[in-house]
Amino acid sequence: MNADTEPTAAAESQVDARRSPIRAATPADAEAIIRMRSEYVLSAPLTEDWVRRCTDELVPRLTPRGDARAFVVDAPDGTMAACALGLIHPVLAAPNYPRGRAARVHVVATHPDHRRRGCARAVVSALLDHLADVENVTLFELHTSAEAALLYREFGFTGSPALMRMTRHSQSAVAAAGAQPDSTCVPPQQYADALPRAAAFVCLYVTDEDDRPLQLHSVYSPGHPWHMIGGAMDLGERPWDAAVRECREETGMTAAGPPQLLATVYGQPRAHRPYSTLQLIFDGGRLTAEQIRGISLNPREHDEARVMPLAEWEALMPARDFVRLRAVEEARRTGVAAYVDIWGDA
């Protein structure tokens, strides 16, 4: 064996989920699970007092009579490489969870030395299988990061990372009902409730006859003091119809069309706004000086309409807002629709 293929001591000490046994946690694992949570899940590590307090609480809950279940992978040196902890709790029964048992996936953590080897996937899979097939849990919930949400979607979870949910029946229950495991029919309302949340907005990019952008000054949004004409779409409202309505409500003008889409703008879910945003920005045309003077603002929303050269807007706006404005200006100038996915805290 040549030097390039000779295993190193570090490589031999790393865990591979395909070969490392996954086992159910016992009360003796409580402290290690708490320390994994402290180091790799929480935003700030626990103090030793809190480690002891949480360990004392988890020990009895990891017994057969308790409400906690966990699966772990051990590293070759005997330390914990990865763990997944679920907490079982009762809910009111419903057709999709007739036993009224739910579980929250509370902790999933992997030591940095053993990441990218399938450990998290392995312990989560073992935990979900046990909860569904042994504990008769049918409703699952969790909170995660946007990056980790991709893993949980593979298991069947849906929704925003702030709250992902899944209903799953044990294999024995599926067989007893005479159905195939892969052919579950979800009622329309349940499917709708499980979809990730998003809000849709429309905007009009309007300039004067010299192509200087017109923007409105907000009286209610200090984070976005200047913005284009526009707002949220109503349920069932077509995007262009929403743009026409917002233009009329905010300025007293009627957008003439025809609809010409300049940009699509996407915003990620955030802590205080657990849903995505999607903006469609249409070309609102060029206004004469007389039309600009005739703008009638809604004082509950805006107190000024201002026209300035594009470069001068940068000093008055958050950086991400100006990126959007500049992309829309370029889309009109070049005729190539823009896509922006760094929209700020709308």
Side-chain angles (χ1 to χ4, degrees), residues 58-90:
L58 184 57
V59 165
R61 298 176 72 173
L62 279 173
T63 64
R65 292 180 176 272
D67 64 347
R69 302 292 181 267
F71 285 80
V72 303
V73 172
D74 295 318
D77 62 2
T79 60
M80 187 171 290
C83 65
L85 169 70
L87 302 178
I88 303 170
H89 60 91

Side-chain angles (χ1 to χ4, degrees), residues 2 16 31 35 39 47 110 230 273 275 334:
N2 61 41
D16 187 331
E31 181 178 347
R35 292 192 181 278
E39 292 295 325
T47 64
T110 305
R273 187 199 65 204
Y275 53 84
T334 62

Side-chain angles (χ1 to χ4, degrees), residues 288-334:
T288 66
E290 182 180 358
Q291 287 175 310
I292 294 174
R293 286 194 297 268
I295 289 176
S296 176
L297 298 177
N298 181 343
R300 292 176 298 179
E301 298 189 46
H302 306 101
D303 57 9
E304 183 183 353
R306 185 182 300 186
V307 173
M308 293 195 309
L310 176 66
E312 294 182 17
W313 279 114
E314 185 171 10
L316 301 181
M317 306 172 65
R320 291 182 176 182
D321 293 24
F322 184 73
V323 166
R324 178 184 70 156
L325 182 64
R326 184 174 57 196
V328 174
E329 185 276 337
E330 183 177 357
R332 181 202 267 183
R333 178 168 46 82
T334 62

Side-chain angles (χ1 to χ4, degrees):
M1 184 177 294
N2 61 41
D4 291 336
T5 57
E6 186 70 32
T8 65
E12 289 178 341
S13 68
Q14 291 171 336
V15 169
D16 187 331
R18 294 169 295 183
R19 296 189 294 269
S20 301
I22 301 162
R23 63 176 178 83
T26 69
D29 295 303
E31 181 178 347
I33 292 173
I34 294 301
R35 292 192 181 278
M36 293 282 280
R37 172 176 177 253
S38 172
E39 292 295 325
Y40 310 122
V41 177
L42 299 180
S43 57
L46 298 172
T47 64
E48 283 301 309
D49 285 344
W50 270 102
V51 168
R52 287 192 295 271
R53 176 175 174 176
C54 293
T55 299
D56 291 344
E57 178 184 329
L58 184 57
V59 165
R61 298 176 72 173
L62 279 173
T63 64
R65 292 180 176 272
D67 64 347
R69 302 292 181 267
F71 285 80
V72 303
V73 172
D74 295 318
D77 62 2
T79 60
M80 187 171 290
C83 65
L85 169 70
L87 302 178
I88 303 170
H89 60 91
V91 294
L92 290 176
N96 282 306
Y97 25 97
R99 294 181 180 268
R101 288 172 66 80
R104 181 176 182 86
V105 180
H106 192 61
V107 175
V108 177
T110 305
H111 191 283
D113 290 346
H114 308 293
R115 290 175 182 169
R116 307 294 183 186
R117 289 171 176 77
C119 293
R121 185 186 303 275
V123 290
V124 170
S125 179
L127 176 65
L128 297 179
D129 287 347
H130 176 85
L131 291 173
D133 298 338
V134 178
E135 305 286 351
N136 294 306
V137 171
T138 48
L139 175 62
F140 297 83
E141 299 175 333
L142 59 86
H143 165 78
T144 189
S145 65
E147 295 78 10
L150 297 175
L151 169 65
Y152 298 113
R153 293 192 197 284
E154 294 180 19
F155 285 109
F157 284 88
T158 59
S160 157
L163 178 60
M164 303 189 77
R165 306 183 79 190
M166 173 181 70
T167 54
R168 170 177 162 178
H169 297 276
S170 67
Q171 296 298 313
S172 58
V174 171
Q180 296 298 318
D182 296 330
S183 61
T184 56
C185 180
V186 179
Q189 186 59 51
Q190 180 189 341
Y191 174 74
D193 291 342
L195 287 174
R197 296 295 184 259
F201 296 82
V202 292
C203 294
L204 284 175
Y205 178 67
V206 175
T207 67
D208 66 2
E209 293 180 302
D210 294 323
D211 288 331
R212 297 181 301 176
L214 178 145
Q215 296 207 95
L216 308 181
H217 185 261
S218 172
V219 299
Y220 58 83
S221 179
H224 299 282
W226 293 95
H227 51 78
M228 288 174 264
I229 298 166
M233 292 173 54
D234 292 335
L235 181 64
E237 190 175 30
R238 289 182 170 87
W240 177 248
D241 291 343
V244 172
R245 173 183 55 77
E246 287 288 342
C247 184
R248 183 175 59 250
E249 292 175 356
E250 293 186 350
T251 68
M253 300 187 300
T254 300
Q260 181 178 348
L261 187 65
L262 292 178
T264 301
V265 182
Y266 173 75
Q268 284 274 12
R270 297 179 183 274
H272 69 279
R273 187 199 65 204
Y275 53 84
S276 302
T277 60
L278 186 69
Q279 297 178 344
L280 301 177
I281 302 179
F282 294 95
D283 193 338
R286 295 172 174 85
L287 302 182
T288 66
E290 182 180 358
Q291 287 175 310
I292 294 174
R293 286 194 297 268
I295 289 176
S296 176
L297 298 177
N298 181 343
R300 292 176 298 179
E301 298 189 46
H302 306 101
D303 57 9
E304 183 183 353
R306 185 182 300 186
V307 173
M308 293 195 309
L310 176 66
E312 294 182 17
W313 279 114
E314 185 171 10
L316 301 181
M317 306 172 65
R320 291 182 176 182
D321 293 24
F322 184 73
V323 166
R324 178 184 70 156
L325 182 64
R326 184 174 57 196
V328 174
E329 185 276 337
E330 183 177 357
R332 181 202 267 183
R333 178 168 46 82
T334 62
V336 179
Y339 168 74
V340 181
D341 61 5
I342 57 170
W343 180 233
D345 297 325

